[in-house]
Amino acid sequence: MQNKTIRIAPSDISFLADCPHCLWHKYNTGLKNVSIFPGVFSTLDVNQKKYFNPLGTKAISNDLPDGEVDQRIADKFITSKVLQDFEGRPFQLGGKADLILKFFDGSYGVIDNKTTKIRENQDYYIYQLESYATILEQPDLNTSEKFFDANGVDCYAPVTHMGLSMFEPTEIVDHSDETVTQLFARKWQAVERNPKKLLTKITSMMDIITSPTCPDTSACDRCKLYKNALEAAK
């Protein structure tokens, strides 16, 4: 696997990289430690986009430059060109971006809608956002031809803004026999670009993915739970 180009999912960088055992298996054997994502979050995401996307970037946050959401590319699979980690190993980034912004000054943005507990620190999302910024600035030929050529460009660069548009359910203010009206707190959190931080993380992931042997389960509470359950069932 040392010379093979590894396609890395941006979500894995944020949520799978902390367990070397799970990471190694996904990229070497296809065995996945899958979490079930409640469907209600997808429904919330669809409705948030349905409302905000046609309104332009200022409806998302006044801190963003004037522009619009590129609805043609949102939720479509896009892939970077072949890149190299700090050890010279080839990889690609590939996944479905949440929201891509086109600013009227010629720059671009990447944001995620998150229905979540609003916190000041959501730093683990930087890897996903920076991954999609990298893909937009350095797309492979298929992504470029499919999504960018129609706009007269071969990439979306520079990506100048990244961030989270967070929604947190709060109080219920009204109801009927069939509906409930519930308020949501909303907050925009800008995330600064940091390509070096992303590449450092990917290099550490590639160390694990290209290892000839699978790491043990000691770093993952979920893996230890599964292992203990299997041993108890013997």
Side-chain angles (χ1 to χ4, degrees):
M1 183 173 285
Q2 290 291 334
N3 296 319
K4 179 182 177 182
T5 299
I6 308 298
R7 178 179 288 180
I8 296 176
S11 59
D12 288 346
I13 305 173
S14 292
F15 301 112
L16 191 61
D18 289 338
C19 178
H21 180 264
C22 293
L23 179 66
W24 189 92
H25 269 294
K26 177 179 179 180
Y27 286 86
N28 285 274
T29 69
L31 181 64
K32 300 177 183 179
N33 192 339
V34 179
S35 298
I36 298 174
F37 192 71
V40 68
F41 287 102
S42 296
T43 302
L44 289 167
D45 181 68
V46 167
N47 283 286
Q48 290 157 4
K49 290 176 180 176
K50 184 177 180 181
Y51 178 83
F52 282 100
N53 285 11
L55 300 180
T57 57
K58 287 296 185 181
I60 298 170
S61 172
N62 280 323
D63 293 336
L64 292 169
D66 280 315
E68 62 186 3
V69 176
D70 188 340
Q71 299 186 59
R72 183 169 177 264
I73 196 173
D75 294 317
K76 300 297 192 297
F77 196 92
I78 56 176
T79 313
S80 74
K81 67 181 183 181
V82 177
L83 306 168
Q84 291 187 337
D85 70 5
F86 283 132
E87 298 297 327
R89 294 168 297 202
F91 71 92
Q92 284 181 291
L93 296 167
K96 293 183 178 180
D98 198 4
L99 294 176
I100 306 301
L101 309 182
K102 295 166 58 179
F103 302 123
F104 297 145
D105 65 3
S107 62
Y108 302 89
V110 182
I111 73 171
D112 261 353
N113 283 341
K114 296 294 181 186
T115 302
T116 184
K117 184 74 172 176
I118 291 176
R119 302 182 181 91
E120 292 299 323
N121 189 349
Q122 302 271 11
D123 284 348
Y124 49 89
Y125 287 115
I126 186 177
Y127 297 115
Q128 287 177 273
L129 293 167
E130 186 63 52
S131 291
Y132 288 115
T134 300
I135 295 171
L136 293 177
E137 292 183 335
Q138 302 183 70
D140 68 355
L141 183 60
N142 181 64
T143 296
S144 180
E145 291 179 343
K146 192 172 183 180
F147 297 110
F148 304 142
D149 275 6
N151 295 322
V153 296
D154 57 12
C155 67
Y156 277 5
V159 175
T160 56
H161 290 74
M162 305 192 311
L164 302 175
S165 185
M166 295 179 284
F167 301 83
E168 180 181 349
T170 59
E171 63 178 318
I172 295 174
V173 296
D174 194 13
H175 78 284
S176 70
D177 289 342
E178 297 181 350
T179 65
V180 169
T181 302
Q182 184 169 19
L183 299 179
F184 279 70
R186 189 166 74 95
K187 181 177 180 181
W188 163 256
Q189 179 176 317
V191 177
E192 291 186 7
R193 293 291 309 267
N194 196 332
K196 184 177 179 180
K197 185 173 183 177
L198 174 64
L199 197 56
T200 298
K201 187 73 168 181
I202 289 175
T203 300
S204 68
M205 290 176 65
M206 291 288 283
D207 288 341
I208 296 165
I209 293 170
T210 61
S211 172
T213 58
C214 178
D216 63 29
T217 61
S218 61
C220 179
D221 289 338
R222 184 184 298 175
C223 284
K224 287 188 284 187
L225 178 64
Y226 289 160
K227 182 178 178 181
N228 292 339
L230 288 172
E231 291 177 351
K234 291 180 181 178

